[in-house]
Amino acid sequence: MKVVQVLPALQGGGVERGTLEIGSALVACGHESLVLSAGGRMVAELEEAGSRHVHWALGRKHPAVALEVRPLRRWLAHTQPDILHVRSRVPAWLCWLAWRQMPAGARPRFITTLHGLHSINPFSAIMAQGERVIAVSDTAKRYLLDNYVGASAPALQRTGLTVDRIHRIYRGIDPSRYHRGYRPCNGWLANWRRDFPVLKRRRVVLLPGRLTRLKGHEDFPIVMERLCERHPDAIGVVVGGEEERSRAYAASIRAASPGIVFTGHRSDLRDIMAVASAVVSLSNRPESFGRVTLEALSLGVPVVGYDHGGVGEILERVFPEGRVPVGRPDEAANRLAAVLDDEAVARSRIQGHDFTLQRMCAETLALYEELAADAWQR
C-alpha cells in the first residue's frame, strides 16, 4: 500500500507522535508511507524511520489556503496513494475538496481521525466525512454519535456518517519505552539537577502540557498550595512550551504561580515523569484521549486527574484512585496528599492495561488494508 497522512505540522504533540508511529509501522510491514505537513522538529525522526515527508502548509486558517485544492488534487492524481488519512480540520477540508473532484475509480480511500472534541459547527463536521472515521476513545466515539450521526444531528452537521463507519481505535504506547522501573541515565540526572537545583530533595508533582487555556494551569497553584500544607517538600513543575497566540496567557499563568517551576518545551518528558512523584491532569475541558496520562501510569507514576474525557477512561481502567471531580482542585490536592503519604502503596495500585502501540498500529493498518483491498477489487 501507499498511504498518505496529512496534518498541519510536525512540531510535537500526541497527534504528531501517532503519525510517526503509524508511518513506522507501515514501513516495517513493507508499505510506502508519506506525510504531508508544514514541517517541524519531528521531520528528521519521521524520515529516519523510513517515511517520506512532503513539505506542504495545509493547516493555515486563512482563506488563501483554498488555493491549494487544485494543486493538491493534481498531486494526488500523480502520486496515486491507496489511502488518504487526514488528522486535522483545515487539511481535512482541503483534502476532501480535492478528493471529491477526482474520478471515483481513481481516488484513494479517504479516512479521518478525530483527535479532538471540537466545537460543534459545520467547520468541524469535516472530521465526520471520512469513508471511515477513527475515534481515539469511547469519548471521541460518543462525540461523533451525539453530534454527527442520524436525524438527531443538527441539520448543518449532517454528514451522512453512520455507526458502521466509525472505528474506535485507542491510542497506544510502546511498553518497551514506558514501563515500570524505567530510570533516566546518570548523565541526564546530573544535567537535570544542574538545570533545576531548586528541585533538590523535593518531591515533584508534574503538570505536562503546553501553556494554553485547555490544560488547566489556573488550578495548579491552588492544588500545590493545598498539597504543601501537608507535604511542604512537594513542588509543582510545569513542562510545556507556549505558542505565539498564547503568549499573554502564558505570562499571566507564570505571574500567578510564583512557587511553580516552568521548564518550557522539553523533548525528554519520559525522563522527567520517571523522576516525578506524581503527575496531574487538570484540563478544564475533556480531552479525546490523554496520552501523557497513559505514559505516566505505564512508568508506574500515579496520576491524579479530572474525571472526564479520555483521561477519565484511562484512570478508570488503570488507576481509579486518581479520579477527581472536574473543577475540584481541593479534592485533587487531597488525592495527591494520599499518594505522597505512601508512594510505594500508590504505585502498587496502578493496574496493567492493553493501550499498546502494537495494538493501535495493527488495528489501523488492518483498516487501511480492508479499504485498499475493497478498492482493488472494484
Side-chain angles (χ1 to χ4, degrees):
M1 294 184 297
K2 182 185 293 185
V3 176
V4 173
Q5 299 182 81
V6 188
L7 70 167
L10 284 169
Q11 291 293 357
V15 177
E16 293 81 353
R17 175 56 54 192
T19 300
L20 265 65
E21 290 166 344
I22 293 300
S24 295
L26 285 165
V27 172
C29 291
H31 304 299
E32 186 175 352
S33 168
L34 295 88
V35 174
L36 269 60
S37 87
R41 62 175 66 95
M42 300 176 79
V43 169
E45 183 181 354
L46 173 82
E47 293 182 332
E48 286 171 5
S51 293
R52 180 158 66 93
H53 181 258
V54 178
H55 190 280
W56 207 331
L58 298 176
R60 294 181 299 129
K61 292 182 179 180
H62 188 281
V65 78
L67 297 175
E68 302 292 346
V69 171
R70 182 174 293 177
L72 182 58
R73 186 181 73 240
R74 290 197 296 264
W75 183 86
L76 288 170
H78 173 74
T79 306
Q80 296 185 324
D82 299 293
I83 302 292
L84 178 61
H85 184 176
V86 294
R87 299 176 177 272
S88 183
R89 289 175 292 176
V90 173
W93 272 108
L94 299 176
C95 289
W96 181 74
L97 289 169
W99 174 83
R100 72 172 186 167
Q101 293 171 9
M102 299 175 69
R107 62 192 183 192
R109 304 305 300 268
F110 185 62
I111 298 177
T112 58
T113 290
L114 181 71
H115 287 283
L117 307 180
H118 307 296
S119 301
I120 310 302
N121 54 45
F123 174 61
S124 299
I126 188 62
M127 301 313 295
Q129 286 281 17
E131 295 181 279
R132 297 294 185 273
V133 180
I134 297 174
V136 299
S137 64
D138 284 337
T139 295
K141 182 175 181 178
R142 174 50 55 190
Y143 164 95
L144 290 167
L145 292 172
D146 288 347
N147 298 296
Y148 296 107
V149 172
S152 62
L156 291 176
Q157 272 74 259
R158 291 178 187 167
T159 62
L161 181 65
T162 55
V163 174
D164 60 296
R165 282 166 49 194
I166 302 173
H167 291 252
R168 195 264 281 140
I169 301 178
Y170 274 118
R171 306 297 84 187
I173 55 97
D174 182 353
S176 70
R177 283 183 49 80
Y178 296 91
H179 59 86
R180 291 174 187 258
Y182 170 78
R183 296 294 295 174
C185 68
N186 290 336
W188 183 91
L189 289 168
N191 290 335
W192 176 251
R193 291 163 182 158
R194 181 200 63 209
D195 294 341
F196 300 100
V198 69
L199 303 181
K200 187 176 181 179
R201 297 191 181 91
R202 307 290 294 273
R203 291 203 275 180
V204 169
V205 177
L206 196 65
L207 174 58
R210 291 189 297 268
L211 295 179
T212 65
R213 296 184 185 278
L214 171 65
K215 296 297 183 179
H217 296 92
E218 300 94 334
D219 286 355
F220 196 37
I222 303 171
V223 171
M224 293 310 303
E225 181 180 357
R226 302 289 189 273
L227 176 62
C228 288
E229 292 172 0
R230 284 177 56 179
H231 291 279
D233 62 337
I235 185 168
V237 176
V238 172
V239 178
E242 61 188 62
E243 299 172 354
E244 185 66 34
R245 61 185 178 182
S246 303
R247 290 288 167 81
Y249 171 77
S252 70
I253 289 299
R254 289 194 179 95
S257 312
I260 291 174
V261 176
F262 291 82
T263 71
H265 171 77
R266 302 278 301 204
S267 59
D268 53 355
L269 181 58
R270 177 181 61 155
D271 295 316
I272 300 171
M273 289 194 296
V275 299
S277 293
V279 170
V280 293
S281 175
L282 304 174
S283 298
N284 49 45
R285 290 188 294 169
E287 298 191 43
S288 58
F289 184 61
R291 184 187 184 105
V292 171
T293 292
L294 180 62
E295 290 174 347
L297 291 169
S298 299
L299 290 169
V301 180
V303 176
V304 171
Y306 287 157
D307 186 16
H308 60 169
V311 170
E313 287 184 50
I314 294 168
L315 287 171
E316 181 181 12
R317 295 191 188 190
V318 185
F319 188 61
E321 294 91 338
R323 293 178 296 172
V324 175
V326 180
R328 297 280 294 275
D330 288 346
E331 182 63 24
N334 290 336
R335 298 290 175 89
L336 283 167
V339 167
L340 297 191
D341 285 342
D342 195 329
E343 289 186 40
V345 169
R347 289 171 182 261
S348 71
R349 290 176 176 164
I350 298 174
Q351 303 170 22
H353 64 80
D354 62 351
F355 298 109
T356 65
L357 175 61
Q358 181 181 16
R359 178 202 47 75
M360 180 191 82
C361 291
E363 292 180 7
T364 303
L365 266 61
L367 180 60
Y368 289 168
E369 290 165 356
E370 174 191 338
L371 289 177
D374 179 60
W376 296 333
Q377 290 171 4
R378 292 178 187 176

